[in-house]
Each structure stands twice: as C-alpha cells, then as structure tokens.
Amino acid sequence: MRDDYGLNIWANGDFVIEKGKICLNTPSKPALQDMVEKIREDGIRGPILLRFPHLIAKQISELYTNFKAAMSEFDYGGNFCAVYPLKVNQYPGFVGNLVEIGKKYGYGLEAGSKAELLLAMAYNELGSPITVNGFKDKELINLGFIAAEMGHNITITIEGLGELETIIETAKNRFKPKPNIGLRIRLHSGGSGIWAKSGGINSKFGLTSTELIEAVKLLSKNGLIEHFNMIHFHIGSQIKEIGPLKKALQEAGNIYAELRKMGAKNLSAINLGGGLAIEYSQFKHKETKNYTLKEYANDVVFLLQNIAAQKNEPVPDIFVESGRFIAASHAVLTAPVLELFSQEYSEKKLQLKKKNPPLISELHDLYTNINKSNAIEYLHDATSHLDSVLTLFDLGYVDLEDRSNAEILVHLIVRKTISILNDKDDYADLRRIQNEIQERYLVNFSIFQSMPDFWGLKQHFPIAPLKHLDERPTLSASIWDITCDSDGEIGFDSKDNPLFLHDIDISKEPYFLGFFLVGAYQEVLGMSHNLFTHPTEAIIVPTENGYEIKELIEAQSIMDILYDLDYDIDAIRSELNRRIESSNSVSEKAKKQILGELYLFLNANGYLRTVQ
Ligand SMILES: *Cc1c(COP(=O)(O)O)cnc(C)c1O
C-alpha cells in the first residue's frame, strides 16, 4: 500500500503526487524534489524554504470570493474588507508578494507595533485599509496620525481608555486628515483553541461595556465621535469550532447596534480579527477544524444581517484579519536526511569469532533462518537476546566485540523482518513491529528555527518525503534535527501522528523531507538556537512548462549571525588571524591555507555541508 501522507486532508488541492513525487498542483505539475535539486546545483546546502506566491494569491482570492458570494447570497448591503496581520510573517519575500497580489482586492495590512506600522506605511497600497492593534504609547499613536496625514486609510483600535486619552491629546496637535478610531471590545463569550487568551472576560485586551459607554462619551465631548468607525474583537488563533465565533459575533453585533443608538453615527464596521483555521492534520481521525471557509463566511454574513434587522440599524461592513489562513500554505521547508542511524549496522561490519558466546550464535541462527511464518517470533527472541547480551556485558561476561555483533545482528533481523512482511501483505503484523522499533532520521535543519510551534506547543505540521511516494514506506520514523538539544526531535507517535519513511541508502541517493504549512508564524518566531539561522529561501513561480526561481536568498552567514548578536566581527576576524599567524605549531604555508579556509567558513551559513 502506498502512503499519501494525508495530502487529501491538509493540502487543500495545492499539491498532488505524480510519478511518486510531490508536485505543485498547477498545469505543468513541477516536482518539489526537482526544484530542490536545481537550487542545490549551485552549491546551496542545508534546508531550503520554498515560497510559492501563487498559493498566497489562492488564499487571498478564496477569502474574498467566499465572503462576496455569501454577501450576494444574502443580499448583504455592507462591504467586505480584509487586512493581513503583519505579525504572522514579516519576511520581505512574503510581504512584498502579498502586497502586490492584494492590490486588485484593496487588501490592506494590520500592524501591532511601531515597526510593523512603519512597514505598513511604506508598503500598503494607498487607499487599502490599515488597522493598528495592540498596546500603544504616545509615539505609536502619533505615527498613526502621520499615516493618516500621508493619505492612508488607517484605523487605530483602542485597547483601553488610557490610549483614548492619548488620542484625544494627539488630535489637538496634529494636522487635518485624522485616522479613524476603532474600539476593541471585551466579550463575555470566551476564546477558542490553544491561543484562546485573546477573547473572553479575562482577555488581555479590550474595553468592558462600562468603558465602551465612557469611550463614546469622551469621543463625543472631544469632537472625535465622527472618526469612530469600527469595533474590533479577536477570539484567538486557529479557531477549531465555529460555535464560539458565532457567540462572539452575536455579542459584537448587539454592541455595534447599541453604540450606534448611543450616537456613534459613523460606526459602520465590525472587525472579527483573525482565527480562521487551517487543517494541519495528516489523519482523518485527527482533523482539527469542523467548518469550511464557505460556512464561516455564510455564518458571519447571516448573523450580522439578522442582528442589524432586529435592531433596525444598517448592516456593518465586515473586516477580517486572517493571518494564518493566508500565510500558512505558501511556504514549504525542505531538508535533506543526513543519516539513518541504523544504517551503520550492516552485514559487512559483523566480526564473528571462531567461537562465539551461545547467545550470539543463536542470534546468528535467527538471522539466517528467519522467514515469513516465524518472523514475529524470531524478532521477539532477538530483542530479548539483545537484552541478555547487554546484561552479560555489564557483568563482564562478554566483550565489546560480542556486544557489537549482537547489536548488528538484531538490527539486521529487524530489517529482514520488515522486508519479509512488506513483500507479503501482512500489514497488521508489519505495523506492530514498526510501532516497537523506530528508525531515527537525522535531518539537516533546526526545529527551533523552522518549526518553533512544534517545540513550544506541540503543533503538528504535515511531513512527507518529496519522492518515492509510489513505494510503501517501511520504517517508523522519528526525526532528529542537528541542534544538540534533546528537544530537537519529532518522535514517532504511533497513536496520533505515525510517520513512516523509506529505507534509503543515503550514501547512494539524497532523500529530502518536506515540512508543510510553515508559512504562518514559524519564520519570525524561529529561534537561532545553536546559532542556526533562517534557512536559504527560494521564491518559486509556476510557469506554463514548469517553474521559475524568481529569487534566491541565501541563509545568513556565520559572520552575519555573530553581527546580529552585537559581536564586533572585525575584531573576531582579526583575532582569529592574529592567533593563527602567531602560532608556532604549523608552517607558514599551512597558515596561509588555514586562513583561507577560515575565511570561507565565516562567510558560509552554519548548516551542515556534507555531500547532502
Ligand atoms: C494575531 C492576530 C490576528 C491573526 O490571527 P490568525 O489566527 O493568524 O488569523 C488577527 N488580529 C489580531 C488582533 C491578532 O492579534
């Protein structure tokens, strides 16, 4: 049986398997494996992040299409607007493409800090909305006013009354076009998902009903009520069920109508924040979200229309700030497997003696005589023999050579068992052994840098080899990254996320793994643990006949990362040079060579550069 790695569950039609390779689902179906090999022809090594702008375009289009369809189905009088929250991925290779693609929709940007707001002011298409959330000081608010003065359509969302007072003060001193003002509401209905702290009565953000009343009074008193146009909430990221969102909307819709009745005559929009989920699961039984985008859009539009009708108010414009949904699918991390740990145990390495301890002879017999009918039994005998040999070794009764022979034989028996059962169709037995015995795949990447949410939250990301998908994978795999941290491991999880990979001789052919849906949050949350940097990235555009590598941005060099840590890199370089030049241990000729080598090391990235 082949394994499609759950592609039909998580890939959303973005990827297909053709001739055993994972390919873009575009007319020419280029294979990811071929892209990686092409990029590596120029000497690039280590992990490579593939960025696909056409998948950003697809997500933006789906968002607008579904909301527009819902609005026309229900004859909704308001507009649909969307902004991209920069915190989800601020890398220029992503943001540049996103802004370009978003132009025709009037797609805007959301900022949560001064740096993000400055980015938005520079990149956002004039006229497309900018929203500003998060805690603000006087400077940030001032920056919001400058954006409005530049001609940006900006809404500053107030998180607390203190911020409102600063806005009122600032407004007195600034020029004419003023930013719009939004109020973040604190809902009594709770948040959802592992990122739920953004909603609910104990939420970190938002104004209580008492504060809302006060805010409207303050705005009126200071002549700013006409700028108050939006209420905002955000119940958390990766919302798994639609229920909590509907409750929040019900509440927000009523607050909207009440505030209008209190005199907020220009209040015309409800901003639902983000939270639209994507499917990360590779298994049906683990599917994580219970709604589609179509259902989400229909529910939102229908609910808001109902409330507006009930309260006899015009329907609000609908703003969303979906980030994960837009960004996750566009990036795939590809990384070469460097080693399968048990491959060291080959028949060649057996050093059987003329006279071996009885247990070793028995292991050898098991290995020679194993067949389909006795495989499971022999395997269990073998593992128990190995336990005994190890005990005997600890007690001093067998030597290191015997121990090595036993370890090799047991690994050979495991492999033979798997291949015997794999040829036949005893799948259940095979899976049983695979659950007991795992292969460790050492992969040239850092989990801390490239999948921090796995490290921090045990968030699962789909994993699949880029080729051999037309062959049954036989080894239950755990994945080890190249950091020297024991957390740098994705263990084999027989219950929730079993991963099976192929038994490949890495010295004969490269074997790459793809880690999918890593485009949201992972890049900028990534940590430089062990000083491994953001990987080399390639921006890839599918063409009629294949694909084009539009841009290649190499991973930071070792010098760059030391510079980021505020080291004086010139001082490091000259100190290394001085120490080599003044050393007495090697000849002048050798010194010259060493200096050259060091120069290359410092200017290359820190990932492993073996043949793979
Ligand atoms: C983080 C955040 C978002 C984005 O959430 P996603 O789950 O990525 O869609 C949107 N709005 C606000 C206010 C946020 O804090």
Side-chain angles (χ1 to χ4, degrees):
M1 220 187 76
R2 293 187 313 176
D3 190 339
D4 71 357
Y5 293 90
L7 216 72
N8 56 343
I9 300 168
W10 57 265
N12 194 28
D14 297 342
F15 301 98
V16 288
I17 299 169
E18 289 267 312
K19 300 199 183 93
K21 291 179 176 175
I22 296 195
C23 302
L24 288 182
N25 190 13
T26 56
S28 59
K29 305 215 168 24
L32 271 52
Q33 170 85 20
D34 300 348
M35 298 171 191
V36 170
E37 282 175 9
K38 177 90 199 145
I39 293 165
R40 290 163 60 90
E41 273 174 17
D42 295 333
I44 304 271
R45 289 293 178 271
I48 300 170
L49 186 87
L50 305 177
R51 255 193 231 293
F52 300 111
H54 75 285
L55 295 180
I56 309 174
K58 182 183 169 204
Q59 295 305 96
I60 296 176
S61 159
E62 277 190 15
L63 187 65
Y64 279 86
T65 311
N66 277 281
F67 268 95
K68 296 238 155 108
M71 284 180 165
S72 92
E73 184 178 336
F74 297 107
D75 237 343
Y76 192 85
N79 295 309
F80 175 70
C81 303
V83 290
Y84 166 74
L86 282 163
K87 75 161 189 273
V88 177
N89 190 332
Q90 302 98 333
Y91 270 79
F94 175 77
V95 174
N97 282 296
L98 173 114
V99 169
E100 194 54 39
I101 294 161
K103 270 184 192 163
K104 68 173 179 199
Y105 299 94
Y107 190 37
L109 295 172
E110 185 263 2
S113 64
K114 287 174 209 172
E116 288 180 357
L117 179 53
L118 280 162
L119 259 186
M121 287 160 69
Y123 272 88
N124 196 57
E125 186 75 354
L126 269 193
S128 297
I130 295 178
T131 60
V132 188
N133 300 312
F135 296 112
K136 297 164 207 72
D137 63 358
K138 208 170 157 142
E139 256 179 48
L140 179 49
I141 286 170
N142 215 35
L143 204 53
F145 275 76
I146 294 174
E149 289 156 9
M150 280 167 70
H152 276 302
N153 166 14
I154 179 172
T155 303
I156 303 180
T157 305
I158 303 308
E159 310 274 353
L161 288 178
E163 289 181 3
L164 185 54
E165 276 155 24
T166 315
I167 288 210
I168 291 167
E169 278 315 298
T170 310
K172 290 180 186 149
N173 307 320
R174 299 292 324 182
F175 307 100
K176 191 71 188 147
K178 297 226 181 323
N180 295 315
I181 297 169
L183 297 179
R184 182 154 179 171
I185 56 180
R186 184 176 298 233
L187 301 170
H188 70 74
S189 42
S192 168
I194 35 180
W195 291 276
K197 284 196 274 297
S198 325
I201 204 88
N202 294 318
S203 148
K204 195 167 144 195
F205 302 105
L207 282 77
T208 62
S209 46
T210 316
E211 288 168 328
L212 282 173
I213 297 170
E214 204 175 329
V216 169
K217 283 187 185 149
L218 269 173
L219 284 164
S220 300
K221 196 173 113 200
N222 291 281
L224 289 172
I225 192 76
E226 71 197 80
H227 298 289
F228 170 40
N229 74 331
M230 181 188 289
I231 55 170
H232 174 258
F233 68 90
H234 171 70
I235 63 169
S237 203
Q238 184 69 356
I239 301 172
K240 294 185 174 155
E241 296 167 355
I242 196 87
L245 179 78
K246 281 163 106 170
K247 269 179 79 175
L249 263 177
Q250 191 73 31
E251 194 181 341
N254 278 295
I255 291 175
Y256 159 83
E258 291 294 319
L259 291 175
R260 279 188 59 89
K261 290 190 197 303
M262 282 178 57
K265 56 183 192 308
N266 286 349
L267 173 58
S268 60
I270 295 187
N271 184 336
L272 326 180
L276 191 50
I278 58 152
E279 187 54 72
Y280 289 103
S281 173
Q282 296 187 265
F283 299 94
K284 271 266 171 249
H285 71 277
K286 281 289 287 178
E287 270 181 289
T288 47
K289 66 178 176 118
N290 77 346
Y291 60 92
T292 61
L293 173 56
K294 182 164 187 268
E295 185 183 346
Y296 178 91
N298 282 346
D299 282 350
V300 169
V301 170
F302 178 77
L303 259 168
L304 290 180
Q305 187 166 49
N306 263 358
I307 298 169
Q310 256 172 32
K311 295 256 171 169
N312 207 16
E313 290 288 344
V315 292
D317 292 338
I318 297 171
F319 268 73
V320 300
E321 298 176 334
S322 286
R324 183 185 303 277
F325 175 84
I326 298 293
S329 63
H330 93 283
V332 180
L333 182 82
T334 62
V337 172
L338 295 170
E339 201 177 315
L340 274 64
F341 280 77
S342 79
Q343 250 168 12
E344 293 158 28
Y345 300 101
S346 65
E347 211 164 326
K348 282 202 307 273
K349 300 207 171 146
L350 268 182
Q351 303 278 347
L352 290 175
K353 301 171 178 166
K354 282 221 170 64
K355 186 159 170 35
N356 295 291
L359 278 171
I360 309 289
S361 308
E362 271 182 51
L363 278 173
H364 192 255
D365 288 346
L366 291 174
Y367 176 52
T368 321
N369 298 321
I370 195 165
N371 62 39
K372 194 192 168 237
S373 57
N374 63 23
I376 303 277
E377 185 195 332
Y378 277 26
L379 181 78
H380 287 147
D381 289 350
T383 46
S384 106
H385 283 7
L386 180 60
D387 274 348
S388 309
V389 171
L390 293 174
T391 309
L392 289 177
F393 177 78
D394 292 346
L395 296 172
Y397 292 113
V398 299
D399 64 19
L400 194 58
E401 244 175 16
D402 296 327
R403 175 177 165 173
S404 153
N405 287 332
E407 286 172 357
I408 293 172
L409 282 166
V410 171
H411 275 95
L412 292 173
I413 290 168
V414 169
R415 275 174 186 255
K416 205 160 162 189
T417 313
I418 289 174
S419 82
I420 288 173
L421 294 180
N422 190 37
D423 288 344
K424 315 286 180 248
D425 246 2
D426 278 329
Y427 218 41
D429 275 348
L430 180 61
R431 290 273 139 131
R432 234 173 63 214
I433 311 172
Q434 285 166 323
N435 284 344
E436 287 169 28
I437 291 146
Q438 292 160 34
E439 178 61 276
R440 289 178 293 173
Y441 286 73
L442 179 69
V443 182
N444 198 359
F445 81 128
S446 155
I447 287 172
F448 300 87
Q449 174 59 244
S450 293
M451 277 183 287
D453 277 344
F454 176 81
W455 173 72
L457 300 160
K458 289 287 164 269
Q459 171 65 51
H460 174 80
F461 294 91
I463 304 173
L466 300 185
K467 65 174 186 177
H468 290 298
L469 282 90
D470 46 3
E471 295 159 32
R472 178 193 279 179
T474 54
L475 302 179
S476 40
S478 60
I479 296 197
W480 289 44
D481 75 4
I482 56 168
T483 66
C484 56
D485 194 307
S486 56
D487 271 355
E489 182 197 354
I490 303 175
F492 181 75
D493 175 351
S494 64
K495 220 168 88 235
D496 286 342
N497 291 302
L499 176 68
F500 292 92
L501 294 174
H502 299 90
D503 190 0
I504 300 281
D505 184 348
I506 298 298
S507 65
K508 299 216 170 75
E509 76 168 300
Y511 187 61
F512 294 96
L513 298 184
F515 300 87
F516 292 83
L517 303 176
V518 296
Y521 296 103
Q522 304 317 298
E523 288 184 60
V524 91
L525 288 179
M527 294 159 264
S528 308
H529 197 20
N530 274 148
L531 302 187
F532 290 115
T533 58
H534 186 262
T536 295
E537 84 184 66
I539 298 177
I540 294 195
V541 178
T543 60
E544 216 171 300
N545 306 316
Y547 65 93
E548 182 198 337
I549 301 170
K550 205 174 106 187
E551 213 180 324
L552 191 69
I553 304 160
E554 247 200 275
Q556 277 192 314
S557 71
I558 291 172
M559 271 301 177
D560 292 335
I561 185 138
L562 293 178
Y563 179 80
D564 283 354
L565 291 180
D566 282 342
Y567 278 100
D568 180 340
I569 51 175
D570 290 329
I572 290 182
R573 214 185 327 241
S574 44
E575 184 58 19
L576 285 168
N577 288 355
R578 194 189 61 74
R579 288 183 181 201
I580 289 164
E581 270 156 13
S582 64
S583 138
N584 300 322
S585 45
V586 290
S587 70
E588 287 307 311
K589 192 163 164 249
K591 284 181 189 172
K592 222 171 144 192
Q593 182 190 324
I594 294 170
L595 286 172
E597 284 169 342
L598 265 185
Y599 178 83
L600 289 180
F601 282 132
L602 288 170
N603 288 293
N605 73 55
Y607 287 98
L608 302 189
R609 303 179 67 81
T610 56
V611 256
Q612 304 306 341

